[in-house]
Amino acid sequence: MKEHFVAGLCMNLLASAQRQKAANNPPVDVILIGGGVMSATLGALLKELEPDWTIQLYERLDKIAEESSNGWNNAGTGHAAYCELNYTPERADGSIDISKAVSVNESFEVSRQFWSYLVKNRRVGAPETFINNVPHMSFVWGEEDVNFLRKRYETLQQSTLFHGMEYTEDSHVIKQWAPMIMEGREPFQKVAATRMAMGTDVNFGELTRQMLASLAQRDGFDLHLKHEVVNITRGEDATWEITVADLNNDGKRSSVRARHVFIGAGGAALTLLQKSGIPAARGYAGFPVGGKFLVTTRPDIVDHHLAKVYGKASVGAPPMSVPHIDTRMLDGERSLLFGPYATFSSKFLKRGSWFDLFSSLNRHNLLPMFRVGWDNLNLLRYLISQALMSDKNRLAALQAYYPEARLEDWQLIDAGQRVQIIKKDRVKGGILQFGTEMVSANDGSLSALLGASPGASTAAPIMLELMNSMFKDRAASPAWRDKLQEIIPSYGRPLSGDAELTNRIHAYTSRLLHLNYAEAGQPGATDTWGTLPKVI
């Protein structure tokens, strides 16, 4: 008993000494938690706007971009809403709602402008190392889905952002676009497809590594690997005290103060947000969903397909489970990926703990969690069926998109872990929300990003939104506005509906990123495309 008392006293004295040491040191301007694309994007933006600011980034793993930002843990679609059918739901009257698709595409165009600025100013390497043209296609079969795709295409043409998209119900044309999905298919099956040749494949892991490597060379930026943030508290002086365990040094703890904190730790963001104690965090819970992909690198298969082909999700499936067969360009090598096959785990991170889900539960979010489970029984049944799926059934799912596929040519790999948002709702008690959401302290000094897709593809606009709340006065200043206009030429102006601005931005980003584009104002036009790699 005496030994325990002495040990506890020593720990308290040590913690007090660490707090005193932190209090005596000036606070850093910004702390970033998590070494993924979100933190890298915010750090890169802030260093352009405020070169003299001190910024520290803490990542618990020994490498950056190893969770959701890793190229093998996501589809790398560069979500532009060209091919993702879940962004264009059908209304009860049969019309197509394209508002989400337009919003996602506008956001992706902002990200493209930001990456173009990084390339132009040599903050990252050659664009081919992280972004490449891969056409985006939607592909459906059956009378009902063909009618849906036709209406979707026609409605999307109302926006200048989707000019250049092609539509066909001719199986011979589809075979030219993507031979693999047509060979061996029933010849009289009713099919339809759309194609956007200016679609891209993005290696977000490589992009993140390049951004942080550049930041690490700049004064005032410190990158700490194998450092886990274990607590976040508000100090009496309104700064935030961050307690960090140094995993390089047996978990030795230290504290650092910061004026502003961003929690961009993927699935771990929820528990860290809860530790901050801000009122806005109450009522939030997380629903973890994982995934597996079938992957092949066989040259005779990989070279026969150059497209990201998305279909319609199964009934009850979450949006992130939309089936797709994708060309991937990772670290200079081409591969094909098909999936995802949903999985369930109580982990919030791929390299997380089995107790993540349970440790996130509290009296504020138990009711929302229960209500979401009750209201989403179809989703639970879907996840169970996916978990029990046999190799034969996985092959059948693949053959719906690649009729001549053989399972022995493919390898099953684990993809990333995603945590979908559960939040309080006055009417339902709790709702399951797909997408991303920013949760912030009242004064904006601390913010956390929760949720999943489209995520990385919209990192730049999400971080711009965060800066408008975290740094209100500076964001409204002429100095920041002018610099942001340089970084994002369309800053503050929508592209949709403005053909001249759309063309100018597409030309600008395509030139710097070495990509192809089509001119707005010419729906379906193909004569402005550059040369795409051949499919054999």
Side-chain angles (χ1 to χ4, degrees):
M1 181 71 72
K2 182 178 179 181
E3 289 79 2
H4 289 304
F5 173 77
V6 172
L9 180 61
C10 290
M11 290 293 290
N12 287 335
L13 289 173
L14 178 60
S16 177
Q18 289 173 343
R19 285 194 295 271
Q20 185 61 42
K21 182 179 179 182
N24 292 334
N25 292 326
V28 299
D29 291 302
V30 181
I31 281 182
L32 308 173
I33 304 175
V37 68
M38 293 294 177
S39 292
T41 298
L42 180 57
L45 282 167
L46 288 176
K47 264 302 176 183
E48 296 301 319
L49 294 162
E50 297 290 344
D52 296 330
W53 275 10
T54 52
I55 302 175
Q56 296 191 11
L57 186 151
Y58 293 94
E59 165 58 48
R60 71 186 187 94
L61 299 178
D62 59 353
K63 297 178 182 177
I64 56 177
E66 286 298 295
E67 284 284 348
S68 295
S69 300
N70 184 281
W72 289 109
N73 290 342
N74 58 63
T77 307
H79 285 279
Y82 295 142
C83 56
E84 303 93 332
L85 301 180
N86 54 295
Y87 291 147
T88 51
E90 189 170 12
R91 299 187 183 98
D93 64 0
S95 63
I96 305 298
D97 181 1
I98 66 168
S99 58
K100 178 70 172 180
V102 170
S103 174
V104 169
N105 191 276
E106 290 270 14
S107 295
F108 183 62
E109 289 298 332
V110 171
S111 289
R112 277 179 52 134
Q113 291 173 69
F114 172 58
W115 302 336
S116 298
Y117 174 87
L118 296 178
V119 170
K120 181 180 179 181
N121 291 274
R122 299 184 179 181
R123 304 299 192 199
V124 296
E128 292 85 357
T129 60
F130 65 86
I131 187 169
N132 290 274
N133 268 126
V134 173
H136 286 195
M137 291 178 58
S138 299
F139 176 66
V140 298
W141 55 87
E143 189 76 32
E144 182 179 347
D145 288 345
V146 167
N147 290 337
F148 164 79
L149 190 63
R150 186 189 309 114
K151 287 189 295 183
R152 177 185 187 267
Y153 165 75
E154 292 168 351
T155 310
L156 285 174
Q157 295 309 296
Q158 298 171 9
S159 169
T160 56
L161 294 168
F162 295 90
H163 289 182
M165 179 177 284
E166 302 166 86
Y167 173 83
T168 187
E169 296 175 24
D170 187 331
S171 60
H172 295 94
V173 174
I174 299 174
K175 188 173 182 178
Q176 291 175 3
W177 292 349
M180 178 184 292
I181 66 175
M182 296 305 297
E183 291 168 354
R185 188 172 296 277
E186 177 63 44
F188 300 106
Q189 186 179 40
K190 190 171 181 61
V191 294
T194 58
R195 179 180 186 260
M196 196 70 164
M198 67 179 291
T200 53
D201 174 74
V202 186
N203 185 340
F204 289 107
E206 181 60 25
L207 176 62
T208 302
R209 287 187 286 271
Q210 291 188 24
M211 282 194 287
L212 289 178
S214 175
L215 281 170
Q217 302 301 314
R218 304 183 69 174
D219 292 338
F221 184 90
D222 294 305
L223 173 63
H224 303 275
L225 298 177
K226 294 196 72 176
H227 281 70
E228 183 174 12
V229 174
V230 295
N231 202 17
I232 305 173
T233 56
R234 194 73 187 258
E236 294 180 0
D237 61 352
T239 63
W240 292 94
E241 184 175 321
I242 312 299
T243 304
V244 183
D246 183 355
L247 305 183
N248 296 294
N249 193 14
D250 298 324
K252 182 179 179 181
R253 297 191 175 192
S254 60
S255 297
V256 60
R257 291 187 302 139
R259 295 185 178 91
H260 302 92
V261 177
F262 170 63
I263 307 173
L270 174 62
T271 50
L272 289 172
L273 177 65
Q274 291 171 334
K275 289 179 179 181
S276 73
I278 64 172
R282 293 174 185 169
Y284 278 93
F287 184 79
V289 178
K292 292 179 180 291
F293 285 110
L294 285 172
V295 175
T296 183
T297 56
R298 278 193 53 157
D300 58 326
I301 299 175
V302 171
D303 293 341
H304 199 46
H305 182 81
L306 182 71
K308 291 180 178 289
V309 181
Y310 274 57
K312 291 197 76 174
S314 304
V315 175
M320 64 175 288
S321 294
V322 173
H324 48 92
I325 185 163
D326 286 9
T327 295
R328 295 304 317 273
M329 309 286 283
L330 295 173
D331 306 320
E333 184 179 8
R334 222 162 111 176
S335 60
L336 280 187
L337 167 155
F338 176 79
Y341 301 98
T343 62
F344 176 79
S345 165
S346 57
K347 292 181 179 182
F348 279 178
L349 292 167
K350 191 173 181 178
R351 302 190 191 184
S353 165
W354 295 104
F355 297 102
D356 286 342
L357 173 61
F358 309 106
S359 63
S360 72
L361 299 177
N362 56 46
R363 63 188 179 89
H364 299 293
N365 62 22
L366 272 175
L367 177 59
M369 176 73 83
F370 173 78
R371 286 308 305 264
V372 164
W374 181 259
D375 293 339
N376 290 272
L377 294 178
N378 282 344
L379 173 59
L380 296 177
R381 282 193 286 267
Y382 170 79
L383 291 174
I384 292 171
S385 69
Q386 289 279 292
L388 298 176
M389 183 176 281
S390 65
D391 287 343
K392 181 179 179 181
N393 288 335
R394 288 195 189 96
L395 177 61
L398 171 60
Q399 288 177 334
Y401 291 86
Y402 175 19
E404 297 183 344
R406 300 181 307 168
L407 196 60
E408 56 265 31
D409 296 329
W410 299 73
Q411 177 186 359
L412 188 66
I413 66 167
D414 289 319
Q417 193 77 356
R418 304 290 187 270
V419 179
Q420 307 296 342
I421 302 167
I422 292 176
K423 57 191 294 188
K424 277 185 177 179
D425 181 79
R426 291 183 179 179
V427 177
K428 296 183 177 181
I431 56 173
L432 180 64
Q433 180 174 303
F434 297 102
T436 54
E437 183 166 332
M438 195 73 69
V439 183
S440 304
N442 290 333
D443 63 356
S445 60
L446 179 144
S447 292
L449 184 69
L450 305 180
S453 182
S457 300
T458 57
I462 289 173
M463 293 302 101
L464 289 173
E465 178 186 348
L466 177 144
M467 291 192 302
N468 281 325
S469 62
M470 187 174 278
F471 312 104
K472 282 184 180 178
D473 293 340
R474 290 180 181 270
S477 69
W480 270 40
R481 285 202 307 268
D482 290 347
K483 187 63 178 179
L484 287 172
Q485 191 78 54
E486 179 188 347
I487 298 171
I488 314 291
S490 72
Y491 183 68
R493 292 176 293 171
L495 300 185
S496 185
D498 189 333
E500 188 277 331
L501 182 59
T502 300
N503 288 335
R504 186 149 51 88
I505 295 302
H506 280 173
Y508 166 74
T509 58
S510 297
R511 175 175 56 83
L512 287 168
L513 298 176
H514 303 169
L515 301 172
N516 305 303
Y517 76 100
E519 289 190 359
Q522 300 180 29
T526 58
D527 58 324
T528 52
W529 297 117
T531 302
L532 290 168
K534 272 190 175 181
V535 180
I536 61 173

